[in-house]
Amino acid sequence: MIKVENLSYSFNDFPLLENLNFEVNPSEIIHLKGENGSGKSTLLKILSGILNNFQGKVLSTAKNVFFLGHNLGLKDSLSVKDNLLLDYRFNSEVDSLSEALKLFELNSMKETKLFNLSQGQRKKVSLVQLFLSKYDLFLLDEPFANLDQKGIELIENTIRHHQNRGSSVIFTSHEDHNISSRELVL
Amino acid sequence: MKSFYFKTFQRDSKVYLSRSSSFLGPIVFFLITITLYPLAFGSDEEKLAELSAGIIWISILLANLLSHQFIFNEDFKDGSLDLVLASGKSLFLWASIKIFVNWYFSSLPLIFLSLLTSFMLYLPFDAALILALTLFLGTPILSMFGALAGALTLERGNIVGSSIVIPMCLPALILGILAIQSYKNEELFFYIFLLAAFLFFSIPILIASCLGAIRLHFE
Amino acid sequence: MRQLFNQLISFPYFFKIAQISFPYLFLLSILVILLGVLWGVFFSPVDVTQGEVYRIIYLHVPAASVAQSIYYTMVIASITYLIWRIKMASVFMISMAPLGAIFTFLALFTGAVWGQPTWGTWWVWDARLTSTLILLILYLAIISLFSSFDRRASTDQAVSIVVLIGGINLPIIKLSVEWWNTLHQSASITLSGSSIDNEMLIPLLISIFGFYLYVTAIGMRKMQVEILKREISHNWVKEIFIEKR
């Protein structure tokens, strides 16, 4: 799905990533580990095409890439529903939305403006997007942060669901998760 | 399924509509500046009529620069810009749509308002029509320069941006005011033509520069 | 030719060249400026209409000329940086912008000093003065950009973008200011074209040449400082300074 060769990246002459080599196969779930500041987020941003000032090669066969960053890309002044439907990543049927909202227990807040929601609820909104979207490669930066146990299980199931469809997933997290097929430590 | 660009248009429009401050802000700023001039220079009809074109143009220039600085700023802060870059779509059209939506909500109302305020400043009606025309051609230029200033200072969003941009906007201001002042003779067409040319050539250059400036923050 | 160019844009090579040539260049520039200005002030004839005060042109004209030239060279540097990513070009822009601002200010200041006794006013909103003032604002705006970014490369690119857009815009600004001026000009003062006597021209040209030499020397020095700031952790810098000791 994606192949990284001799990838290096530096910020103001300070090397952040040095000579990375790895490969991700279809239907593989990779758990990206590392200390704070080890360049996990940066690596995901490079793989998703947000940062392109790196050395080395990133070869990808993924037709489309789903990126979930630290900043969720949600608009405070829009409703939950608008935030989901007008998201650049939304590529599913509109009908599937209400079912997904029910699953994440957000159905009652469909028309609520986002600034009324807590951090955890916002996270959930962006995870509904993750649940609905059909992509080849998912790059998730801290998808489990700010979530309760129930939410964590939902995400694990979602990730498995995407895996069964043949997509690959790379996610970062500080805790251990048994869904991953492989761990990659930076 | 809606296209990427249609989503951009709808998303931005909804954000503007849901926040009255984003389009009322420039209107309030414009009206208060217009009011300041007679208070400072006196209400002498002849004097105001002579100054009115300049007063309106300067007020719009300042009101615009304040609002256009934030075209890309919010997307940068809330992470939407990450998603745009990750989508791999053409950013040129995306940036054009964003600038257009901002112009539509913050400059277009000011153009209509300027027609009303021109009576308060005793500008003759024919000249007021020319004023509206020059603003119609000129404000998109201001929008694009403002967007560039905002894109350059995404992280800080400070006064530096507008101080870079105001000198660059001078040709638009001068040509606009020259056109209004020569509204009775043929030179009018010359100045209008030049202003239109300035707009025409600004579009590709400035939007490409905006994209270059945005890229600075993602290297 | 290509090799020479490649050497000049490499930091260590340029640093060494500048280190060797700076004292000579600086001394020469001071001598040439002194020659031009002293000749102009003491030996050239008095202007018939303006009297002694015209002699300030031996400072004013060179300053104005240098101020504009610096901007045009910066535009060339910005294109070079944006296309070929040559770091030396950005070092050049960042070092020269403050010099440009200083000389633009000097041109405006000497112009005002000249204007007061000659036309009875420190300042007129003449086309040339107005566009020089705008040039000063542009320089200051560019300098204010220097500290707006966390990343070195971002500053370089932002400065190049603004310099380039300003460069495209500057002739347009000048033209529009001229049109504005012809429409508004009510005072009878025009600053353009009285012909100049040869005996005044030669010291003036010498003085202009001296100013250019001076800017080259100081500019090289400033570029050295900028290079040191950027390359402080590199080996060649350490080698140079350890050798010195």
Side-chain angles (χ1 to χ4, degrees):
Chain A
M1 189 64 81
I2 200 160
K3 193 175 180 188
V4 170
E5 286 173 5
N6 294 324
L7 177 71
S8 301
Y9 179 84
S10 54
F11 186 88
N12 270 352
D13 286 347
F14 290 110
L16 198 57
L17 301 171
E18 276 182 299
N19 276 325
L20 279 184
N21 285 291
F22 67 89
E23 204 173 333
V24 180
N25 300 315
S27 291
E28 211 175 6
I29 300 176
I30 307 275
H31 181 176
L32 197 58
K33 273 188 152 178
E35 292 164 14
N36 289 334
S38 59
K40 300 188 295 286
S41 303
T42 308
L43 178 58
L44 290 189
K45 282 189 178 175
I46 289 173
L47 296 181
S48 63
I50 297 170
L51 299 175
N52 49 18
N53 194 25
F54 54 84
Q55 283 89 49
K57 268 187 192 163
V58 176
L59 307 163
S60 170
T61 57
K63 275 191 228 69
N64 44 29
V65 180
F66 182 98
F67 178 78
L68 174 72
H70 259 293
N71 298 326
L72 302 171
L74 302 170
K75 291 279 174 211
D76 271 352
S77 43
L78 297 184
S79 67
V80 169
K81 190 179 144 200
D82 279 341
N83 255 308
L84 288 166
L85 289 180
L86 298 178
D87 192 302
Y88 297 122
R89 297 167 298 185
F90 183 80
N91 64 357
S92 183
E93 283 80 38
V94 181
D95 305 337
S96 54
L97 183 71
S98 48
E99 231 169 281
L101 283 170
K102 266 177 210 149
L103 191 67
F104 282 76
E105 295 167 344
L106 285 169
N107 206 23
S108 57
M109 299 177 189
K110 213 162 149 184
E111 302 295 339
T112 314
K113 294 277 165 83
L114 210 75
F115 53 72
N116 295 317
L117 268 59
S118 71
Q119 283 302 322
Q121 286 170 318
R122 279 161 198 246
K123 187 82 183 196
K124 266 190 182 169
V125 174
S126 62
L127 294 172
V128 174
Q129 192 66 255
L130 168 66
F131 178 80
L132 285 170
S133 306
K134 300 182 181 78
Y135 281 80
D136 286 351
L137 177 63
F138 289 83
L139 302 167
L140 315 175
D141 199 357
E142 302 280 359
F144 299 103
N146 283 335
L147 282 181
D148 51 18
Q149 193 53 40
K150 211 168 160 192
I152 291 179
E153 274 163 31
L154 260 172
I155 298 313
E156 290 184 340
N157 290 336
T158 307
I159 290 179
R160 276 203 201 95
H161 165 72
H162 286 309
Q163 179 188 27
N164 293 337
R165 277 186 35 247
S167 313
S168 310
V169 181
I170 305 178
F171 70 89
T172 66
S173 172
H174 289 291
E175 294 104 45
D176 288 324
H177 293 278
N178 54 15
I179 50 167
S180 60
S181 12
R182 196 143 56 92
E183 280 188 359
L184 198 73
V185 182
L186 284 184
Chain B
M1 215 174 73
K2 290 163 186 163
S3 86
F4 176 82
Y5 302 109
F6 188 69
K7 274 182 192 165
T8 308
F9 177 75
Q10 223 179 359
R11 214 166 121 100
D12 272 33
S13 307
K14 282 199 173 183
V15 169
Y16 280 109
L17 284 173
S18 69
R19 273 192 321 213
S20 53
S21 66
S22 56
F23 58 91
L24 275 180
I27 291 178
V28 172
F29 185 91
F30 175 70
L31 287 178
I32 193 72
T33 334
I34 293 288
T35 321
L36 288 180
Y37 282 94
L39 292 178
F41 294 129
S43 54
D44 179 37
E45 192 170 325
E46 237 169 76
K47 201 199 258 173
L48 280 179
E50 201 182 315
L51 292 174
S52 53
I55 292 175
I56 292 173
W57 250 95
I58 291 174
S59 307
I60 285 198
L61 179 94
L62 296 177
N64 266 344
L65 287 178
L66 287 179
S67 72
H68 293 314
Q69 276 211 41
F70 300 101
I71 296 181
F72 301 113
N73 192 283
E74 200 177 292
D75 275 10
F76 178 71
K77 283 186 176 147
D78 67 20
S80 306
L81 206 46
D82 287 341
L83 304 184
V84 173
L85 291 170
S87 73
K89 293 285 196 308
S90 153
L91 293 184
F92 193 90
L93 197 53
W94 168 81
S96 315
I97 292 171
K98 283 193 76 75
I99 295 172
F100 172 77
V101 173
N102 187 284
W103 175 82
Y104 184 86
F105 281 102
S106 56
S107 295
L108 204 55
L110 293 188
I111 296 179
F112 289 111
L113 212 56
S114 72
L115 273 176
L116 295 179
T117 48
S118 64
F119 297 111
M120 293 155 65
L121 296 171
Y122 312 112
L123 190 69
F125 183 69
D126 291 348
L129 287 179
I130 302 300
L131 169 75
L133 177 63
T134 60
L135 287 175
F136 202 77
L137 292 170
T139 47
I141 302 174
L142 305 184
S143 298
M144 288 186 290
F145 273 116
L148 174 63
L152 279 169
T153 53
L154 275 185
E155 289 159 53
R156 307 281 155 93
N158 50 18
I159 192 85
V160 172
S162 16
S163 63
I164 297 168
V165 162
I166 293 176
M168 308 273 192
C169 290
L170 279 180
L173 177 83
I174 292 174
L175 290 173
I177 291 174
L178 284 178
I180 300 163
Q181 283 172 343
S182 49
Y183 76 101
K184 275 179 192 156
N185 44 42
E186 275 171 16
E187 278 166 39
L188 165 71
F189 299 103
F190 175 64
Y191 294 127
I192 295 284
F193 170 76
L194 284 175
L195 191 58
F198 193 55
L199 171 64
F200 182 76
F201 287 108
S202 303
I203 292 172
I205 296 175
L206 289 181
I207 292 182
S209 314
C210 279
L211 298 182
I214 289 173
R215 266 281 164 211
L216 302 182
H217 305 269
F218 295 93
E219 281 202 325
Chain C
M1 187 65 202
R2 196 177 166 79
Q3 200 195 350
L4 179 73
F5 181 71
N6 279 339
Q7 277 179 336
L8 271 178
I9 62 169
S10 96
F11 284 157
Y13 191 79
F14 175 85
F15 193 90
K16 274 175 212 153
I17 295 276
Q19 191 73 3
I20 296 164
S21 53
F22 172 75
Y24 303 106
L25 210 55
F26 182 72
L27 210 66
L28 184 67
S29 73
I30 297 291
L31 287 177
V32 174
I33 291 175
L34 279 178
L35 175 70
V37 172
L38 291 180
W39 184 348
V41 171
F42 293 111
F43 301 106
S44 65
V46 176
D47 189 273
V48 189
T49 48
Q50 298 181 15
E52 298 287 354
V53 73
Y54 93 93
R55 294 188 198 278
I56 201 165
I57 63 163
Y58 296 111
L59 290 177
H60 175 76
V61 174
S65 160
V66 165
Q68 294 202 358
S69 303
I70 289 180
Y71 199 87
Y72 291 121
T73 53
M74 279 170 63
V75 172
I76 295 169
S78 76
I79 296 170
T80 316
Y81 183 78
L82 288 172
I83 296 178
W84 293 290
R85 303 271 142 190
I86 293 171
K87 284 184 188 164
M88 191 60 98
S90 69
V91 169
F92 178 81
M93 279 185 289
I94 286 180
S95 315
M96 292 312 264
L99 283 177
I102 290 169
F103 279 98
T104 315
F105 179 77
L106 190 66
L108 286 172
F109 184 79
T110 50
V113 172
W114 185 17
Q116 169 40 281
T118 319
W119 302 293
T121 170
W122 296 102
W123 180 265
V124 281
W125 286 98
D126 150 271
R128 218 187 293 177
L129 281 174
T130 311
S131 41
T132 310
L133 179 65
I134 291 163
L135 183 66
L136 178 64
I137 297 171
L138 205 55
Y139 273 127
L140 294 178
I142 290 165
I143 296 168
S144 69
L145 254 187
F146 288 178
S147 59
S148 290
F149 297 91
D150 299 329
R151 259 186 90 100
R152 187 81 254 169
S154 306
T155 312
D156 292 350
Q157 188 158 356
V159 170
S160 331
I161 291 175
V162 174
V163 169
L164 182 60
I165 300 263
I168 298 171
N169 220 339
L170 212 55
I172 303 175
I173 294 177
K174 274 195 169 170
L175 263 182
S176 54
V177 169
E178 261 160 45
W179 286 321
W180 160 80
N181 197 236
T182 48
L183 208 80
H184 286 261
Q185 188 71 277
S186 50
S188 58
I189 300 160
T190 44
L191 299 186
S192 57
S194 55
S195 61
I196 189 162
D197 189 69
N198 253 353
E199 275 179 80
M200 298 177 185
L201 188 63
I202 292 166
L204 184 62
L205 287 178
I206 293 173
S207 181
I208 291 175
F209 180 62
F211 266 63
Y212 275 94
L213 279 178
Y214 178 79
V215 166
T216 314
I218 297 294
M220 272 171 116
R221 204 54 164 181
K222 286 197 58 116
M223 283 169 77
Q224 280 187 301
V225 174
E226 183 66 26
I227 288 172
L228 279 186
K229 271 192 205 160
R230 292 175 185 221
E231 302 269 295
I232 194 75
S233 57
H234 285 62
N235 276 334
W236 68 266
V237 176
K238 286 174 194 153
E239 274 164 29
I240 287 178
F241 284 93
I242 289 165
E243 263 175 43
K244 278 263 170 76
R245 265 189 242 157

